[in-house]
């Protein structure tokens, strides 16, 4: 790891100020992605600005939606009775207990790993990402491999998930990394059926074919006979594109069955 | 360099570190507390698990400066007055270790898991220990040890 200047931010505005004062700074939340990246010398920031003391943790449920502060850990989400069960299950399925004790929702959203779990939940529930500058719909947030709609210097404050009538997430974890080989989140949301897929392509995305089949008939059987084209599907030592495309349907069926 | 201060096993400590100094480096190299191990340095194996303010975390994936002001407990802080912690005793009683390399992290993770799940079943134990890799034991005796300790710890 190259050395850097470590700073602690006392608020989101303080973090933004420290970030703009730094020659090439980056914020850090739980560090469960950033520290491994720094160790591999894939990044060489001048300053690492910790958000841990910026007061961005906490969960509030107003009856219609739940708002989760950016630095709320996966363990806190998994253990909160204010969080709907489908979302708690997403958090409980991330990594291992020690990663869940440090990793945060804001870090996961900002990082947009192609196999991350929270992006699928955010797309599947039609979440809104609130930053120090604006509100961004999840549908507009995940723009590509490790890429998001966040501008330079833009910091996530919280993520708001509206309630859904029914929702569930089904994940096929890589036995080695625990990341999703494929994960599918399904929901009967206020604006209709939403299906979000992670692990299969360069980043989490909605599945329009699955959404129209499930809008017509909310049952696992409705997905029989759908074939996912393999052109943009990831292929690596863990699974071919055909295997992952098949898993999308299998996980979608499991999620619908779990949602009831 | 910056100064970092924290409480390790009940003792106030401080030292000079770089921004990039990992907590595990600070424990092992500044404090000479080598009970906390580094197995992978890539956040996977759990040999480096310590408690930060009561929660188990990987000290290879945390900067020393992030632990400023924290209460840190390492494997060295468990035995009291020459008596092993019930979890350490259970690992000994059940042959829950062979080479012992993973054991400090296993024990630290296991104590956190029993604190949060006082009566864990086998599935819960295996799931909650997913972040700890053991190359020797095949895990069966580790699971037995955690089950015994959950009883003796008053679960
Ligand atoms: C062993 C292991 C297994 C894992 N398994 C899974 C898994 O199964 N599923 C999964 O989804 N993830 C998994 N992860 C990743 C984990 O969920 C991370 O916690 C998460 O990706 C990043 O969160 P963090 O708080 O640690 O972010 P950091 O590492 O602190 O930051 C990650 C990136 O996000 C940026 N960032 C952080 N917070 C903000 C913010 N508020 N605003 C703007 N930018 C921000 C940082 O600048 C950095 O670029 C795993 C990690 C490990 C080490
Ligand atoms: S040394 Fe920290 S997880 Fe392996
Ligand atoms: S006892 Fe040898 S690695 Fe676990």
């Amino acid at each position: 790891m190259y050395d850097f200047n470590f700073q602690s931010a006392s608020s989101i505005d303080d973090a933004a100020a420290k970030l703009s004062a730094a020659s090439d700074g980056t914020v850090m939340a739980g560090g469960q992605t950033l520290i491994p990246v720094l160790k591999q010398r894939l990044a060489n920031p001048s300053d690492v600005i910790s958000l841990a003391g910026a007061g961005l943790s906490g969960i509030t449920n107003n009856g219609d939606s739940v708002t989760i502060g950016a630095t709320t850990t996966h363990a806190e989400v998994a253990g909160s009775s204010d969080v709907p069960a489908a979302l708690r299950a997403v958090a409980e399925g991330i990594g291992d207990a020690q990663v869940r004790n440090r990793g945060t929702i804001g870090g996961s959203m900002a990082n947009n790993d192609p196999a991350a779990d929270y992006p699928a939940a955010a797309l599947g529930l039609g979440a809104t990402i609130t930053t120090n500058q604006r509100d961004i719909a999840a549908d507009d947030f995940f723009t590509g491999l490790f890429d998001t709609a966040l501008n330079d210097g833009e910091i996530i404050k919280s993520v708001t998930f509206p309630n859904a009538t029914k929702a569930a997430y089904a994940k096929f974890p890589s036995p080695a990394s625990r990341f999703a080989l494929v994960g599918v989140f399904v929901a009967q949301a206020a604006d209709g059926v939403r299906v979000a897929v992670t692990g299969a392509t360069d980043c989490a995305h909605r599945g329009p074919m699955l959404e129209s089949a499930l809008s017509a008939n909310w049952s696992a059987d409705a997905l029989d006979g759908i074939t996912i084209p393999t052109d943009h599907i990831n292929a690596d030592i863990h699974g071919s594109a055909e295997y992952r495309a098949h898993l999308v349907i299998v996980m979608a069926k499991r999620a619908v069955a779990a949602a009831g | 360099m910056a100064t970092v201060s924290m409480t390790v096993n009940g003792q106030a400590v401080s030292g000079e570190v770089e921004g990039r100094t990992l907590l595990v480096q600070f424990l092992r190299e500044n404090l000479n507390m080598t009970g906390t191990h580094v197995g992978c340095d890539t956040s996977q194996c759990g040999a480096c698990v310590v408690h930060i303010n009561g929660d188990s975390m990987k000290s290879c994936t945390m900067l020393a400066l992030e632990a400023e002001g924290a209460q840190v407990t390492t494997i060295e802080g468990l035995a009291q007055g020459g008596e092993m912690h019930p979890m350490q005793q259970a690992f000994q009683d059940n042959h829950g270790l062979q080479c012992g390399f993973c054991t400090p992290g296993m024990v630290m993770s296991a104590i956190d898991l029993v604190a949060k799940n006082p009566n864990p079943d086998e599935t819960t134990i295996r799931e909650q220990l997913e972040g700890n890799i053991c190359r020797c034991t095949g895990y069966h005796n580790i699971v037995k040890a955690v089950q015994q300790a959950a009883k003796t710890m008053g679960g």
Side-chain angles (χ1 to χ4, degrees), chain A residues 26-27 29-34 74 95 103-104 110 116-117 156 171 178-179:
Chain A
T26 184
V27 293
Q32 300 303 287
T33 294
L34 185 60
H74 309 329
T104 71
D117 297 301
I156 299 175
K171 168 180 180 178
R178 301 277 144 215
F179 273 94

Side-chain angles (χ1 to χ4, degrees), chain A residues 3 13 59 62 69 73 78 87 92 109-110 115 121 145 150 153 160 188 196 199 203 220 226 241 246 255:
Chain A
D3 200 18
D13 292 339
I59 299 170
N62 71 3
T73 64
L87 199 50
E92 181 63 35
M109 303 285 285
L145 186 72
L150 291 172
T160 299
Q188 288 182 359
C203 76
I226 298 182
H246 178 71

Side-chain angles (χ1 to χ4, degrees), chain A residues 99-124:
Chain A
V99 168
R100 294 193 290 274
N101 280 338
R102 282 199 78 69
T104 71
I105 188 167
S108 180
M109 303 285 285
N111 192 54
N112 194 18
D113 189 290
D117 297 301
Y118 268 131
L123 280 176

